PDB file of all heavy atoms in Angstrom:
ATOM      1  N   LYS A   1     107.350 100.284 114.579  1.00 91.00           N
ATOM      2  CA  LYS A   1     108.492 101.094 115.006  1.00 91.00           C
ATOM      3  C   LYS A   1     108.290 101.711 116.387  1.00 91.00           C
ATOM      4  O   LYS A   1     109.244 101.870 117.143  1.00 91.00           O
ATOM      5  CB  LYS A   1     108.761 102.202 113.983  1.00 91.00           C
ATOM      6  CG  LYS A   1     109.320 101.708 112.667  1.00 91.00           C
ATOM      7  CD  LYS A   1     110.718 101.146 112.830  1.00 91.00           C
ATOM      8  CE  LYS A   1     111.741 102.216 113.153  1.00 91.00           C
ATOM      9  NZ  LYS A   1     113.106 101.648 113.307  1.00 91.00           N
ATOM     10  N   ALA A   2     107.061 102.087 116.715  1.00 90.00           N
ATOM     11  CA  ALA A   2     106.819 102.730 118.009  1.00 90.00           C
ATOM     12  C   ALA A   2     107.057 101.794 119.174  1.00 90.00           C
ATOM     13  O   ALA A   2     107.329 102.247 120.292  1.00 90.00           O
ATOM     14  CB  ALA A   2     105.387 103.264 118.060  1.00 90.00           C
ATOM     15  N   ASN A   3     106.974 100.494 118.943  1.00 93.00           N
ATOM     16  CA  ASN A   3     106.971  99.540 120.048  1.00 93.00           C
ATOM     17  C   ASN A   3     108.150  98.585 120.090  1.00 93.00           C
ATOM     18  O   ASN A   3     108.458  98.034 121.146  1.00 93.00           O
ATOM     19  CB  ASN A   3     105.664  98.727 119.994  1.00 93.00           C
ATOM     20  CG  ASN A   3     104.451  99.593 120.237  1.00 93.00           C
ATOM     21  OD1 ASN A   3     104.227 100.074 121.338  1.00 93.00           O
ATOM     22  ND2 ASN A   3     103.654  99.817 119.198  1.00 93.00           N
ATOM     23  N   ILE A   4     108.806  98.366 118.971  1.00 93.00           N
ATOM     24  CA  ILE A   4     109.900  97.391 118.976  1.00 93.00           C
ATOM     25  C   ILE A   4     111.105  97.908 119.752  1.00 93.00           C
ATOM     26  O   ILE A   4     111.782  97.145 120.444  1.00 93.00           O
ATOM     27  CB  ILE A   4     110.295  96.995 117.525  1.00 93.00           C
ATOM     28  CG1 ILE A   4     111.102  95.708 117.523  1.00 93.00           C
ATOM     29  CG2 ILE A   4     111.021  98.127 116.829  1.00 93.00           C
ATOM     30  CD1 ILE A   4     110.311  94.478 117.872  1.00 93.00           C
ATOM     31  N   ALA A   5     111.396  99.212 119.658  1.00 90.00           N
ATOM     32  CA  ALA A   5     112.548  99.764 120.383  1.00 90.00           C
ATOM     33  C   ALA A   5     112.346  99.715 121.901  1.00 90.00           C
ATOM     34  O   ALA A   5     113.248  99.299 122.632  1.00 90.00           O
ATOM     35  CB  ALA A   5     112.845 101.192 119.908  1.00 90.00           C
ATOM     36  N   PRO A   6     111.184 100.131 122.447  1.00 91.00           N
ATOM     37  CA  PRO A   6     110.994  99.957 123.891  1.00 91.00           C
ATOM     38  C   PRO A   6     111.004  98.498 124.318  1.00 91.00           C
ATOM     39  O   PRO A   6     111.490  98.168 125.404  1.00 91.00           O
ATOM     40  CB  PRO A   6     109.615 100.599 124.141  1.00 91.00           C
ATOM     41  CG  PRO A   6     109.410 101.533 123.017  1.00 91.00           C
ATOM     42  CD  PRO A   6     110.084 100.901 121.838  1.00 91.00           C
ATOM     43  N   LEU A   7     110.469  97.601 123.484  1.00 92.00           N
ATOM     44  CA  LEU A   7     110.412  96.185 123.857  1.00 92.00           C
ATOM     45  C   LEU A   7     111.801  95.609 124.081  1.00 92.00           C
ATOM     46  O   LEU A   7     112.027  94.860 125.045  1.00 92.00           O
ATOM     47  CB  LEU A   7     109.680  95.392 122.767  1.00 92.00           C
ATOM     48  CG  LEU A   7     109.564  93.878 123.021  1.00 92.00           C
ATOM     49  CD1 LEU A   7     108.714  93.600 124.254  1.00 92.00           C
ATOM     50  CD2 LEU A   7     108.983  93.168 121.800  1.00 92.00           C
ATOM     51  N   ILE A   8     112.765  95.950 123.227  1.00 92.00           N
ATOM     52  CA  ILE A   8     114.100  95.353 123.369  1.00 92.00           C
ATOM     53  C   ILE A   8     114.794  95.877 124.619  1.00 92.00           C
ATOM     54  O   ILE A   8     115.463  95.113 125.330  1.00 92.00           O
ATOM     55  CB  ILE A   8     114.958  95.599 122.104  1.00 92.00           C
ATOM     56  CG1 ILE A   8     116.239  94.753 122.184  1.00 92.00           C
ATOM     57  CG2 ILE A   8     115.289  97.067 121.914  1.00 92.00           C
ATOM     58  CD1 ILE A   8     117.045  94.762 120.893  1.00 92.00           C
ATOM     59  N   ALA A   9     114.639  97.162 124.922  1.00 88.00           N
ATOM     60  CA  ALA A   9     115.319  97.708 126.103  1.00 88.00           C
ATOM     61  C   ALA A   9     114.674  97.229 127.391  1.00 88.00           C
ATOM     62  O   ALA A   9     115.345  97.117 128.424  1.00 88.00           O
ATOM     63  CB  ALA A   9     115.318  99.236 126.041  1.00 88.00           C
ATOM     64  N   GLU A  10     113.386  96.915 127.371  1.00 88.00           N
ATOM     65  CA  GLU A  10     112.704  96.440 128.574  1.00 88.00           C
ATOM     66  C   GLU A  10     113.185  95.062 129.018  1.00 88.00           C
ATOM     67  O   GLU A  10     112.905  94.651 130.143  1.00 88.00           O
ATOM     68  CB  GLU A  10     111.191  96.401 128.329  1.00 88.00           C
ATOM     69  CG  GLU A  10     110.542  97.765 128.418  1.00 88.00           C
ATOM     70  CD  GLU A  10     109.060  97.723 128.141  1.00 88.00           C
ATOM     71  OE1 GLU A  10     108.581  96.745 127.528  1.00 88.00           O
ATOM     72  OE2 GLU A  10     108.371  98.673 128.548  1.00 88.00           O
ATOM     73  N   GLN A  11     113.918  94.390 128.160  1.00 90.00           N
ATOM     74  CA  GLN A  11     114.439  93.081 128.555  1.00 90.00           C
ATOM     75  C   GLN A  11     115.586  93.223 129.565  1.00 90.00           C
ATOM     76  O   GLN A  11     115.990  92.245 130.188  1.00 90.00           O
ATOM     77  CB  GLN A  11     114.904  92.294 127.322  1.00 90.00           C
ATOM     78  CG  GLN A  11     113.854  92.162 126.217  1.00 90.00           C
ATOM     79  CD  GLN A  11     112.497  91.739 126.733  1.00 90.00           C
ATOM     80  OE1 GLN A  11     112.351  90.707 127.407  1.00 90.00           O
ATOM     81  NE2 GLN A  11     111.475  92.542 126.431  1.00 90.00           N
ATOM     82  N   TYR A  12     116.136  94.433 129.718  1.00 85.00           N
ATOM     83  CA  TYR A  12     117.165  94.698 130.732  1.00 85.00           C
ATOM     84  C   TYR A  12     116.477  95.185 132.001  1.00 85.00           C
ATOM     85  O   TYR A  12     115.718  96.159 131.972  1.00 85.00           O
ATOM     86  CB  TYR A  12     118.154  95.746 130.214  1.00 85.00           C
ATOM     87  CG  TYR A  12     119.268  96.054 131.181  1.00 85.00           C
ATOM     88  CD1 TYR A  12     120.253  95.109 131.472  1.00 85.00           C
ATOM     89  CD2 TYR A  12     119.342  97.295 131.812  1.00 85.00           C
ATOM     90  CE1 TYR A  12     121.278  95.395 132.367  1.00 85.00           C
ATOM     91  CE2 TYR A  12     120.369  97.589 132.696  1.00 85.00           C
ATOM     92  CZ  TYR A  12     121.323  96.631 132.974  1.00 85.00           C
ATOM     93  OH  TYR A  12     122.332  96.912 133.856  1.00 85.00           O
ATOM     94  N   ARG A  13     116.728  94.546 133.137  1.00 80.00           N
ATOM     95  CA  ARG A  13     115.934  94.782 134.339  1.00 80.00           C
ATOM     96  C   ARG A  13     116.450  95.908 135.225  1.00 80.00           C
ATOM     97  O   ARG A  13     115.677  96.496 135.973  1.00 80.00           O
ATOM     98  CB  ARG A  13     115.856  93.487 135.168  1.00 80.00           C
ATOM     99  CG  ARG A  13     115.294  92.329 134.364  1.00 80.00           C
ATOM    100  CD  ARG A  13     115.003  91.129 135.234  1.00 80.00           C
ATOM    101  NE  ARG A  13     114.505  90.007 134.456  1.00 80.00           N
ATOM    102  CZ  ARG A  13     113.742  89.051 134.936  1.00 80.00           C
ATOM    103  NH1 ARG A  13     113.391  89.062 136.195  1.00 80.00           N
ATOM    104  NH2 ARG A  13     113.334  88.073 134.160  1.00 80.00           N
ATOM    105  N   GLU A  14     117.743  96.163 135.225  1.00 77.00           N
ATOM    106  CA  GLU A  14     118.276  97.218 136.093  1.00 77.00           C
ATOM    107  C   GLU A  14     117.814  98.584 135.578  1.00 77.00           C
ATOM    108  O   GLU A  14     117.883  98.864 134.386  1.00 77.00           O
ATOM    109  CB  GLU A  14     119.806  97.182 136.101  1.00 77.00           C
ATOM    110  CG  GLU A  14     120.388  95.956 136.773  1.00 77.00           C
ATOM    111  CD  GLU A  14     120.282  95.995 138.283  1.00 77.00           C
ATOM    112  OE1 GLU A  14     119.932  97.059 138.820  1.00 77.00           O
ATOM    113  OE2 GLU A  14     120.555  94.968 138.919  1.00 77.00           O
ATOM    114  N   ASP A  15     117.362  99.438 136.487  1.00 74.00           N
ATOM    115  CA  ASP A  15     116.919 100.760 136.066  1.00 74.00           C
ATOM    116  C   ASP A  15     117.580 101.888 136.853  1.00 74.00           C
ATOM    117  O   ASP A  15     117.231 103.050 136.681  1.00 74.00           O
ATOM    118  CB  ASP A  15     115.395 100.883 136.172  1.00 74.00           C
ATOM    119  CG  ASP A  15     114.890 100.692 137.601  1.00 74.00           C
ATOM    120  OD1 ASP A  15     115.716 100.402 138.483  1.00 74.00           O
ATOM    121  OD2 ASP A  15     113.673 100.829 137.823  1.00 74.00           O
ATOM    122  N   ARG A  16     118.553 101.543 137.725  1.00 77.00           N
ATOM    123  CA  ARG A  16     119.243 102.575 138.496  1.00 77.00           C
ATOM    124  C   ARG A  16     120.745 102.288 138.515  1.00 77.00           C
ATOM    125  O   ARG A  16     121.160 101.115 138.585  1.00 77.00           O
ATOM    126  CB  ARG A  16     118.727 102.606 139.949  1.00 77.00           C
ATOM    127  CG  ARG A  16     117.247 102.850 140.068  1.00 77.00           C
ATOM    128  CD  ARG A  16     116.817 103.003 141.519  1.00 77.00           C
ATOM    129  NE  ARG A  16     117.306 101.921 142.361  1.00 77.00           N
ATOM    130  CZ  ARG A  16     116.723 100.743 142.471  1.00 77.00           C
ATOM    131  NH1 ARG A  16     115.643 100.469 141.765  1.00 77.00           N
ATOM    132  NH2 ARG A  16     117.212  99.821 143.261  1.00 77.00           N
ATOM    133  N   PRO A  17     121.570 103.321 138.467  1.00 80.00           N
ATOM    134  CA  PRO A  17     123.017 103.102 138.549  1.00 80.00           C
ATOM    135  C   PRO A  17     123.421 102.655 139.948  1.00 80.00           C
ATOM    136  O   PRO A  17     122.779 103.013 140.944  1.00 80.00           O
ATOM    137  CB  PRO A  17     123.600 104.476 138.209  1.00 80.00           C
ATOM    138  CG  PRO A  17     122.536 105.442 138.569  1.00 80.00           C
ATOM    139  CD  PRO A  17     121.230 104.749 138.312  1.00 80.00           C
ATOM    140  N   TYR A  18     124.469 101.854 140.024  1.00 81.00           N
ATOM    141  CA  TYR A  18     124.975 101.441 141.323  1.00 81.00           C
ATOM    142  C   TYR A  18     126.497 101.316 141.244  1.00 81.00           C
ATOM    143  O   TYR A  18     127.085 101.165 140.180  1.00 81.00           O
ATOM    144  CB  TYR A  18     124.349 100.123 141.789  1.00 81.00           C
ATOM    145  CG  TYR A  18     124.599  98.933 140.891  1.00 81.00           C
ATOM    146  CD1 TYR A  18     125.747  98.148 141.035  1.00 81.00           C
ATOM    147  CD2 TYR A  18     123.687  98.581 139.902  1.00 81.00           C
ATOM    148  CE1 TYR A  18     125.985  97.057 140.219  1.00 81.00           C
ATOM    149  CE2 TYR A  18     123.915  97.491 139.080  1.00 81.00           C
ATOM    150  CZ  TYR A  18     125.061  96.731 139.242  1.00 81.00           C
ATOM    151  OH  TYR A  18     125.299  95.649 138.427  1.00 81.00           O
ATOM    152  N   VAL A  19     127.113 101.385 142.408  1.00 83.00           N
ATOM    153  CA  VAL A  19     128.571 101.322 142.504  1.00 83.00           C
ATOM    154  C   VAL A  19     128.974  99.900 142.857  1.00 83.00           C
ATOM    155  O   VAL A  19     128.341  99.251 143.697  1.00 83.00           O
ATOM    156  CB  VAL A  19     129.092 102.298 143.580  1.00 83.00           C
ATOM    157  CG1 VAL A  19     130.617 102.192 143.702  1.00 83.00           C
ATOM    158  CG2 VAL A  19     128.686 103.724 143.239  1.00 83.00           C
ATOM    159  N   THR A  20     130.003  99.400 142.210  1.00 79.00           N
ATOM    160  CA  THR A  20     130.546  98.094 142.550  1.00 79.00           C
ATOM    161  C   THR A  20     132.073  98.164 142.450  1.00 79.00           C
ATOM    162  O   THR A  20     132.628  99.119 141.903  1.00 79.00           O
ATOM    163  CB  THR A  20     129.985  96.999 141.626  1.00 79.00           C
ATOM    164  OG1 THR A  20     130.334  95.713 142.145  1.00 79.00           O
ATOM    165  CG2 THR A  20     130.537  97.142 140.217  1.00 79.00           C
ATOM    166  N   THR A  21     132.740  97.156 142.988  1.00 78.00           N
ATOM    167  CA  THR A  21     134.195  97.144 143.030  1.00 78.00           C
ATOM    168  C   THR A  21     134.733  95.976 142.215  1.00 78.00           C
ATOM    169  O   THR A  21     134.280  94.832 142.381  1.00 78.00           O
ATOM    170  CB  THR A  21     134.700  97.030 144.480  1.00 78.00           C
ATOM    171  OG1 THR A  21     134.142  98.098 145.250  1.00 78.00           O
ATOM    172  CG2 THR A  21     136.217  97.112 144.530  1.00 78.00           C
ATOM    173  N   LEU A  22     135.675  96.258 141.342  1.00 75.00           N
ATOM    174  CA  LEU A  22     136.312  95.205 140.552  1.00 75.00           C
ATOM    175  C   LEU A  22     137.357  94.470 141.384  1.00 75.00           C
ATOM    176  O   LEU A  22     137.770  94.935 142.445  1.00 75.00           O
ATOM    177  CB  LEU A  22     136.970  95.805 139.316  1.00 75.00           C
ATOM    178  CG  LEU A  22     136.106  96.653 138.381  1.00 75.00           C
ATOM    179  CD1 LEU A  22     136.927  97.101 137.199  1.00 75.00           C
ATOM    180  CD2 LEU A  22     134.885  95.894 137.939  1.00 75.00           C
ATOM    181  N   ALA A  23     137.800  93.332 140.881  1.00 74.00           N
ATOM    182  CA  ALA A  23     138.848  92.568 141.565  1.00 74.00           C
ATOM    183  C   ALA A  23     140.136  93.377 141.655  1.00 74.00           C
ATOM    184  O   ALA A  23     140.938  93.199 142.571  1.00 74.00           O
ATOM    185  CB  ALA A  23     139.110  91.258 140.837  1.00 74.00           C
ATOM    186  N   SER A  24     140.313  94.295 140.699  1.00 77.00           N
ATOM    187  CA  SER A  24     141.513  95.145 140.712  1.00 77.00           C
ATOM    188  C   SER A  24     141.453  96.189 141.809  1.00 77.00           C
ATOM    189  O   SER A  24     142.445  96.867 142.085  1.00 77.00           O
ATOM    190  CB  SER A  24     141.664  95.840 139.356  1.00 77.00           C
ATOM    191  OG  SER A  24     140.560  96.700 139.121  1.00 77.00           O
ATOM    192  N   GLY A  25     140.289  96.322 142.432  1.00 79.00           N
ATOM    193  CA  GLY A  25     140.133  97.330 143.474  1.00 79.00           C
ATOM    194  C   GLY A  25     139.487  98.608 142.973  1.00 79.00           C
ATOM    195  O   GLY A  25     139.130  99.475 143.774  1.00 79.00           O
ATOM    196  N   GLU A  26     139.311  98.735 141.653  1.00 80.00           N
ATOM    197  CA  GLU A  26     138.704  99.946 141.107  1.00 80.00           C
ATOM    198  C   GLU A  26     137.206  99.924 141.374  1.00 80.00           C
ATOM    199  O   GLU A  26     136.529  98.935 141.155  1.00 80.00           O
ATOM    200  CB  GLU A  26     138.951 100.040 139.608  1.00 80.00           C
ATOM    201  CG  GLU A  26     138.327 101.297 138.985  1.00 80.00           C
ATOM    202  CD  GLU A  26     138.426 101.318 137.473  1.00 80.00           C
ATOM    203  OE1 GLU A  26     138.841 100.294 136.887  1.00 80.00           O
ATOM    204  OE2 GLU A  26     138.060 102.346 136.873  1.00 80.00           O
ATOM    205  N   ARG A  27     136.707 101.041 141.867  1.00 84.00           N
ATOM    206  CA  ARG A  27     135.270 101.201 142.058  1.00 84.00           C
ATOM    207  C   ARG A  27     134.683 101.882 140.830  1.00 84.00           C
ATOM    208  O   ARG A  27     135.184 102.910 140.372  1.00 84.00           O
ATOM    209  CB  ARG A  27     134.982 102.009 143.327  1.00 84.00           C
ATOM    210  CG  ARG A  27     135.561 101.359 144.587  1.00 84.00           C
ATOM    211  CD  ARG A  27     135.286 102.183 145.833  1.00 84.00           C
ATOM    212  NE  ARG A  27     133.897 102.103 146.248  1.00 84.00           N
ATOM    213  CZ  ARG A  27     133.061 103.144 146.289  1.00 84.00           C
ATOM    214  NH1 ARG A  27     133.496 104.342 145.931  1.00 84.00           N
ATOM    215  NH2 ARG A  27     131.808 102.990 146.677  1.00 84.00           N
ATOM    216  N   VAL A  28     133.629 101.295 140.290  1.00 83.00           N
ATOM    217  CA  VAL A  28     133.015 101.817 139.075  1.00 83.00           C
ATOM    218  C   VAL A  28     131.507 101.903 139.264  1.00 83.00           C
ATOM    219  O   VAL A  28     130.945 101.290 140.174  1.00 83.00           O
ATOM    220  CB  VAL A  28     133.321 100.919 137.852  1.00 83.00           C
ATOM    221  CG1 VAL A  28     134.801 100.912 137.529  1.00 83.00           C
ATOM    222  CG2 VAL A  28     132.800  99.504 138.083  1.00 83.00           C
TER     223      VAL A  28
END
């Protein structure tokens, strides 16, 4: 239990929020 939860989340590489723009023009 101590290790399976961190292992699954570590498969996602982004670690910082960033701003991007959708085709609709909305910035999120």
Side-chain angles (χ1 to χ4, degrees):
K1 290 293 291 180
N3 295 290
I4 197 70
L7 179 64
I8 190 171
E10 282 179 340
Q11 307 313 305
Y12 181 69
R13 304 190 182 206
E14 292 286 350
D15 61 357
R16 302 185 310 278
Y18 61 87
V19 178
T20 191
T21 304
L22 305 182
S24 63
E26 180 187 8
R27 301 179 73 243
V28 295

